Amino acid sequence: MNKQNIRNFSIIAHIDHGKSTLSDRIIEMTNAVSRREMQDQILDNMELERERGITIKLNAVELSYSAPDNQIYTFHLIDTPGHIDFTYEVSRSLAACEGALLVVDATQGVEAQTLSNVYLAMENNLEIVPVINKIDLPSADVQKTKKEIEDLIGLDASIAPMVSAKTGLNMQSVIDVIIKYIPPPVGDDSKPLKALIFDSYYDSYKGVICLTRIKDGILKVGQHIKMMSTNKDFIVTEVGIRTPKIINKMSINSGAVGWFAAAIKTAQDISVGDTVTDFDHPTDEPLPGYKKILPMVYCGIYPIDNAQFDLLKDAMQKISLSDSSLTYEYETSQALGYGIRCGFLGLLHIDVIRERIAREYKIDLIMTTPSVKYKIMKTDGNMETIDNPSKLTDRTYIKQMEEPFVKLIITSPETYIGDIMNLCLNHRGIYKNLEYLNNARYRIIYEIPLAEIIYNFFDNLKTITRGYATMDYDILDYRPQNLIKVDILLNGMKVDALSFISHKDFAYTKANKLCTRLKELIPRQQFEVPIQAAIGGKIIARETIKAIYKNVLAKCYGGDVSRKKKLLEQQKEGKKKLKAIGNVSVPQEVFIKLLSED
């Protein structure tokens, strides 16, 4: 294949602007899939992606297009997610491309995540071609969208195809701009092998499958290869492409995108972003790889049945292969048993991983309340970082606590600005700027603690703006705040899974709400159970679960009153003894309900 006829490109956009639908139409136009086999969201392999209508995993396919001038072009299309929680997937796919199609919804214009994805493409020095989608809708405003693309992004919108991916309108113009504006790859087949692993997943029969972009050289079956970061070496057993069917080949040349298997059995043997080279004739230096992304939110994952812990460990290893932004370590909780402490990029990321473990590996889970990473300055001058409230040292040894702040960018119609400002104010936001975008939309910028937006901030934002607002955020820095740890005690015993860190001004409200909810959820015992929230040794909230009452006087029908008093006194003493030695039985359902509601 002539390299001048190869085009490697990604499709990037804000969530729900039509990336997957545009991919479907391009696949149809290249006749990669027969009409009988074609289905909506064909590149979204996961059942979860189809149910929610979102792309979670990047997907790469090779397509062949016969142009009217009898030239045959090879397209390597990489479909990417749009949600903020899966930005790492986007950054990885862009590293394997020379260009990107930027899809902008003509009814909504340039959104927060549109800009984020554009900046990612610019960092990778890609040629960005705008595509204006959904022009068939009555509310579409093409001229306004063009102006936003030019004013806010700085791209030439005059070349942008105006299409409806759903109906297929003007789709030929998209193929034309791909051929005209996206540059062909550069690479030399005669040089030593240099290939980038941009994704991987686990196959029960073949082991780890690596998705790769060949920069230089040729990757072929039987070749002895080496991973440059881990120094592990393997013999390639299979190579191939996806169209989206899996097709085996004997070799893949430079400039192409494909996959290979090399009987790699464990996830630790490879890392996404690594450079693959020939073992006997290695390349001089590795490719730049990826900047390691840091988790934003931390959460404990525990199997409801502790006998499934080994299965959970195996599941996490396999899932981390296809999701390299996921970090984890093993931990133990007194209340929940053995579990795994995971670092995620956001709440949707947490939800997706939980669903994948439940569906793909049939493991029922309990998730602890999400938290962020805090920096602790101790009185002896040492700095400590914690992501789990139960690990926080005694506050008499704490000089200062710092929490991460983010720059929060919200794009919204003018109507909802007042409500948005109230929402940010109630979540300790610091107002920074209000920018006018056009007649319909404004951009509001706040600096706000990350801990305040990881719970239900986005849901509340969607509710008060009726779904019209979008948000994006970037980590700024750590700032000293008046933070305290609140412990929950059941019958005087701390429950580590329910501890949380809060700003002092909001601690009482949160503690009171949690105690009230626990009183409703925990079943009554044979003895009275106090539920307490404490800061150090000070109780700030309390609820009491009344004891189950047994009528010990039911068997007394008449007789001396002293007999009845004696029975009541015996019952009273028994209750007191039970309270002193009894353990509160908290069913797993209580944790499930409480933590899922939170």
Side-chain angles (χ1 to χ4, degrees), residues 215-264:
K215 298 285 186 179
D216 285 317
I218 301 174
L219 178 66
K220 50 196 173 189
V221 175
Q223 188 171 3
H224 192 181
I225 59 167
K226 180 177 80 169
M227 307 292 177
M228 294 191 77
S229 71
T230 60
N231 274 325
K232 300 272 185 177
D233 62 293
F234 304 95
I235 302 295
V236 177
T237 55
E238 291 181 74
V239 299
I241 59 171
R242 299 202 287 192
T243 67
K245 295 176 183 175
I246 290 178
I247 296 176
N248 285 55
K249 300 182 80 173
M250 291 307 295
S251 64
I252 311 175
N253 291 28
S254 63
V257 174
W259 59 269
F260 72 88
I264 304 169

Side-chain angles (χ1 to χ4, degrees), residues 421-598:
M421 286 183 163
N422 281 333
L423 179 67
C424 293
L425 193 65
N426 292 335
H427 285 78
R428 297 194 283 140
I430 303 165
Y431 171 79
K432 285 296 171 184
N433 201 7
L434 178 64
E435 298 174 5
Y436 170 82
L437 297 180
N438 55 44
N439 293 332
R441 293 189 306 146
Y442 284 77
R443 182 184 293 141
I444 310 156
I445 299 173
Y446 271 83
E447 290 181 0
I448 194 167
L450 177 61
E452 293 291 336
I453 64 171
I454 63 170
Y455 291 106
N456 51 10
F457 183 89
F458 189 58
D459 291 338
N460 290 339
L461 179 66
K462 286 291 185 186
T463 301
I464 64 175
T465 62
R466 300 181 184 177
Y468 283 106
T470 61
M471 66 173 258
D472 190 14
Y473 59 85
D474 295 309
I475 289 287
L476 289 174
D477 50 21
Y478 277 78
R479 299 181 187 177
Q481 294 289 302
N482 192 3
L483 302 171
I484 49 176
K485 176 190 171 188
V486 180
D487 290 309
I488 302 298
L489 293 81
L490 292 181
N491 199 28
M493 299 289 290
K494 286 183 184 178
V495 182
D496 57 350
L498 298 177
S499 298
F500 64 92
I501 293 172
S502 170
H503 191 277
K504 191 173 182 180
D505 295 346
F506 299 91
Y508 171 74
T509 308
K510 289 181 179 177
N512 203 35
K513 186 178 176 183
L514 185 56
C515 288
T516 305
R517 193 72 188 107
L518 280 170
K519 182 185 177 182
E520 295 170 4
L521 292 173
I522 295 175
R524 291 168 72 187
Q525 312 288 318
Q526 291 284 343
F527 52 94
E528 189 178 88
V529 178
I531 303 169
Q532 298 165 309
I535 300 171
K538 182 183 177 183
I539 305 298
I540 61 167
R542 172 180 170 133
E543 292 288 344
T544 304
I545 303 173
K546 297 296 182 186
I548 297 173
Y549 177 71
K550 181 181 177 184
N551 188 1
V552 292
L553 302 181
K555 58 187 175 184
C556 299
Y557 45 94
D560 189 9
V561 70
S562 60
R563 170 67 177 155
K564 295 179 182 178
K565 283 183 178 179
K566 185 180 177 183
L567 287 171
L568 289 170
E569 283 298 322
Q570 283 177 344
Q571 185 185 43
K572 190 176 176 182
E573 286 300 317
K575 296 280 185 188
K576 194 183 292 184
K577 188 176 179 182
L578 261 179
K579 186 174 181 179
I581 64 169
N583 290 321
V584 181
S585 175
V586 183
Q588 298 280 31
E589 291 77 23
V590 172
F591 288 102
I592 296 168
K593 285 181 184 175
L594 189 71
L595 298 171
S596 63
E597 284 169 5
D598 197 28

